[in-house]
Amino acid sequence: MLSPENPLKNQAAPIGAADQDIDQSLKSLVDILLDIDADQTAKSSATARKVSPESWPPELMVLPPPPQPSVFSAKPLTLEPPQVHIKPPGQPPSSSTAKPPQQSEFLRQAQNDIRFVLGRLDEKVTRLERKIDQPTELINPLLPLITELLTLKHTESNHSLLQALVPLIDQVIQLRAQQDQAKMGAAIGDILPAAIAHQIQHSPAAIAKAIAPEIALSIQEQAQLDPEAIAQSLGPQMGEAIKNQILVEREAMVDALYPVIGNTISKYMVEVVKSINDKVEASLSPEGILRKVRARIRGVSEAELILQESVGFKVQAILLIHKASGLVMRDLQPASSFQIEADMLAGMLTAIRSFVSECMTQPDTDSELHQIEYNASKIVLEVAGYCYLAVIIKGEPSPAFIEKIRTTLGQIVLKSGKAIAYYDGDPGNIPASVDLCLDRLLAAEPKPAPAAKFPVGIAVLLGLILIPLGFFSYRSYVAHKVELKTADALDGVPELSVYRIVPKVEGSKLTLTGRLPNDALRQQAAVVAAQVAPNWPVANQILTVDVPADPTRIAGEVERVAWIFNQKPGVAIAAQHQFNSNSVDVTGIVADFQDSQQLTQALKKIPGLAKVTSTVQIRPVLESQIYFDLNSAQVEASNLARLRSIRQFLDQNPSVALKIIGHSDPTGEQSRNQQLSRERARNVQQVLITEGISPTRLQVQVSDQLPPSITPQQPLRLSRSVRFEVFIPVQKRE
Amino acid sequence: MSVISKKICMVGDFGVGKTSLVRRFLDRQFSDHYLSTIGVKISRKLIPVPTDQDLQLIIWDIEGKTQFQSITPHYLEGAMGAVIVADLNRPETIEHIQSHIQLLTSVNSSTIPCLVALNKVDTITKSGQERSVIAELEVHPQVVTVCQTSAKTGQCVDQMFESLAQRLLEHHHARTSERS
Ligand SMILES: Nc1nc2c(ncn2[C@@H]2O[C@H](COP(=O)(O)OP(=O)(O)OP(=O)(O)O)[C@@H](O)[C@H]2O)c(=O)[nH]1
Ligand SMILES: [Mg+2]
């Protein structure tokens, strides 16, 4: 018999001449079905439609009852041969008397017709069956028929056809698509949306499950090509699917959607702001004007906005942080500002974020930490995918800058989302394009806007009232600006940044208040303030307090000064505070003489410290390099003197360690070069070890680059070298 | 040359000595005073690696599990290693080790290396009864080693953190070479 697995096979199609015949039969079959459907619809009330299939007389079960989608769609158009065989054509139905009265004569007639047609069909099928051994050959001729049926009938009774065909479409599409894509597309294109809509209504969860995994990927792809279009075409039906996907793999989803949603939201916000502005504009009634005046007097709203734009702000740090682990992937801090402990801060921020999302969240919603404010600074957090940006800003950032943070993160996630997702703690694995984006963000710093614009109309209307007020408010924001600038400048001086000095404009003077441990520092603060604000007389109200020498505090300040200096390029120092003698020994290297001077000065200014001993060396000692012959890693005897002086340096600076970096010239095979570079560095290390330096202070490294300051135009022998870098192996920095 | 950073977590019941172990390792100090950790305390330690990139441990000392409060799984996210701490004097804290490891592996990769510290060994007079526990834990696939530590005397503390650092580096290089 026919295989039951393939419904198409059961409707076996004739080949050649029989084709037309069976075509006709199927068509009339469908016609009858539709008629019944129409008839039924006309006659039965809504409740009648709910009659369960069981209550139908048994012989009617031969026909799937049209108004029952569940039965119908389960066995669509399959016309199973066994059922037909049970009731061969011609044999009258045994229980016809049991029919409910509302089953019309017509129905009975139709039923007979169908039996007749089916009987013929079955005959043909069995006849054909023998001829056909290739199942595909059997299906192929049937396809044009189905295609035609689809185009023919869907307009007449979309609903019933849909129910019948949904389960079939799958197979048909697959087969047909292989043969004639264009035709197939045209044929089913019309009803496909309806079919999908039907299915979505029917079992949204299943559809969501089915398509969800693909969505994130395809959106990401499309977002790269055309973010606008995708935002528009993300129809409401996607809701379910997206929800499901968010449950399954949240981060990937956020990554995918971030660039789109960011844009959409900001567009929306622009509209909202515009409408608010319009309203404000429109409300220039007498009351409106009064409100405006009051607002100005209290210094809120408009004034605040103007302030924001004119005062300016300063980015102190930009950290790109791995969301789950809190590890810092990038840490940008302008050299001038006080250096923030990025690793600790990032860890703490991450913990706080976790805390917020774990403990502050109501079910089914998300809490996200956006800002942390302290003193005059704030940390702005922007999250996307597997990372977030923490931007530490002094002053009030402009909305444009916040927007810039957002777009920067969008770009980073889009370009490097993968490397970020798999971050393993090595910043070297984050692509350099990230640096580019972040540098641009840092460079996008604030130029204080010129004085704020006033709408001419309002200016004319309020002219008289506003002149004094405007003057007042202008003065107040200029004053604020001066205060911020002064505070910044004071922060920029290492020895002062440790203390809290408050610059404040009072009357026409710039007053400095706070406590400093000695007069030298007090004078210095006044000088700094005078430089920043030359037009403002400085009233120096800083108190010098005699701080009793507390050794822990001194040690702490020594450490802080050392730490600040260590942030400078070319500086690697260690400052050891001796509790007994209350003195400091400084060792290490600095870039130039000026650094060395500044360092001693800064340490001497620490109140209570008795003595500063500096054996800091200026870098050039270690600018010496060891050169090698072509294809050789042997350290020539001529270099020994040079290595001895390095040993001496290490002896004098016991807290300093050395990186020994091997290079090779760029010619030849890379693997061989690498090996040579390593051997060269190792051999130099060996010499120093024999000279008595502990191996733990000697780090060997290999570089596949030219040594810094060597260009490809210079002689090759200059790149066959080993060079040195000094560093302080940091034990602890709390 | 950059430094490789790895997040590790101190996990265990309250009062077993997580904070004390970190303090001993970083500051070489100990205090008898018990200050329960609230939330997380983060510290870091640079481990110089003479032949390669240095390793920086970012240590998350997480508040201990109490009867009323379980450990916040979010805090464990992204950890590359963990120290599970228990108090040798409190058998229930040792019993909980398995569930801590389970929580860790459910939040992170299931191959996360864990170190078990059976702490306060200085207070134990007769030893031996913990041997079966150690044997059982040592065969656990995630457990690198089981140490009997004392934050008070410093016994085994450095070795413990160093062996975890060692394992982290091995892990790191295995993964890096896989990728390239
Ligand atoms: N004798 C002894 N006491 C210890 C040792 N380690 C910790 N303690 C003491 O145990 C108490 C708890 O130590 P903590 O380090 O604060 O414990 P914790 O695990 O951080 O506790 P929570 O933060 O509450 O989870 C303190 O009083 C410590 O002094 C140890 O090795 N030996
Ligand atoms: Mg603690």
Side-chain angles (χ1 to χ4, degrees), chain B residues 34-153:
Chain B
Y34 176 34
L35 261 178
S36 187
T37 306
I38 294 169
V40 190
K41 182 176 187 300
I42 294 166
S43 15
R44 61 174 188 179
K45 169 89 176 174
L46 195 85
I47 313 253
V49 181
T51 53
D52 207 335
Q53 282 168 284
D54 291 343
L55 176 69
Q56 173 172 252
L57 294 181
I58 307 286
I59 305 172
W60 286 48
D61 172 17
I62 298 170
E63 63 189 349
K65 176 188 174 333
T66 67
Q67 210 176 328
F68 311 103
Q69 196 183 8
S70 52
I71 293 171
T72 308
H74 274 309
Y75 291 150
L76 304 176
E77 275 175 19
M80 310 271 191
V83 178
I84 322 278
V85 188
D87 181 344
L88 278 167
N89 296 311
R90 285 158 58 201
E92 80 279 6
T93 67
I94 301 180
E95 276 160 31
H96 290 158
I97 292 177
Q98 296 276 5
S99 67
H100 293 315
I101 298 181
Q102 218 162 46
L103 184 63
L104 267 160
T105 50
S106 70
V107 172
N108 289 292
S109 123
S110 56
T111 57
I112 181 171
C114 297
L115 247 122
V116 173
L118 303 174
N119 193 33
K120 308 196 187 179
V121 68
D122 57 293
T123 57
I124 300 257
T125 41
K126 60 174 173 47
S127 63
Q129 78 268 42
E130 65 283 343
R131 205 163 287 153
S132 66
V133 183
I134 297 177
E136 196 183 311
L137 283 168
E138 256 167 356
V139 297
H140 193 290
Q142 257 50 73
V143 174
V144 181
T145 39
V146 181
C147 304
Q148 298 193 47
T149 58
S150 166
K152 189 166 185 172
T153 65

Side-chain angles (χ1 to χ4, degrees), chain A residues 476-542:
Chain A
S476 101
Y477 76 67
V478 167
H480 194 83
K481 197 162 133 186
V482 166
E483 285 163 11
L484 270 181
K485 260 170 80 182
T486 315
D488 250 9
L490 291 169
D491 245 13
V493 181
E495 54 267 41
L496 287 176
S497 68
V498 178
Y499 304 97
R500 188 174 143 77
I501 306 166
V502 183
K504 190 147 183 57
V505 170
E506 281 172 356
S508 59
K509 276 194 259 173
L510 178 61
T511 319
L512 299 180
T513 53
R515 287 150 177 260
L516 285 175
N518 58 41
D519 201 50
L521 282 176
R522 185 175 173 275
Q523 296 299 337
Q524 193 177 359
V527 170
V528 170
Q531 276 168 357
V532 176
N535 300 331
W536 296 74
V538 174
N540 193 347
Q541 297 179 3
I542 295 172

Side-chain angles (χ1 to χ4, degrees), chain A residues 324-327 341 343-344 347-348 350-351 354-355 357-358 422-429 563 659 682 695-696 698-701 727 729-734, chain B residues 1-7 26-27 40-46 48-54 56 58 60 71-75 77-80 172 175-176 179:
Chain A
S325 63
L327 296 177
E341 284 252 31
D343 294 300
M344 309 284 279
M348 246 13 253
T350 308
S354 300
F355 178 79
S357 63
E358 183 117 352
Y422 297 113
Y423 184 61
D424 64 353
D426 184 354
N429 291 339
W563 187 81
K659 277 185 189 157
R682 285 252 164 84
T696 53
L698 302 169
Q699 251 190 47
V700 164
Q701 277 180 16
F727 69 101
V730 184
Q731 291 302 324
K732 180 197 75 162
R733 209 184 271 160
E734 281 288 304
Chain B
M1 185 79 145
S2 60
V3 173
I4 302 171
S5 304
K6 299 280 177 187
K7 167 179 172 177
L26 293 180
D27 303 342
V40 190
K41 182 176 187 300
I42 294 166
S43 15
R44 61 174 188 179
K45 169 89 176 174
L46 195 85
V49 181
T51 53
D52 207 335
Q53 282 168 284
D54 291 343
Q56 173 172 252
I58 307 286
W60 286 48
I71 293 171
T72 308
H74 274 309
Y75 291 150
E77 275 175 19
M80 310 271 191
H172 183 85
R175 273 186 50 180
T176 327
R179 230 180 298 145

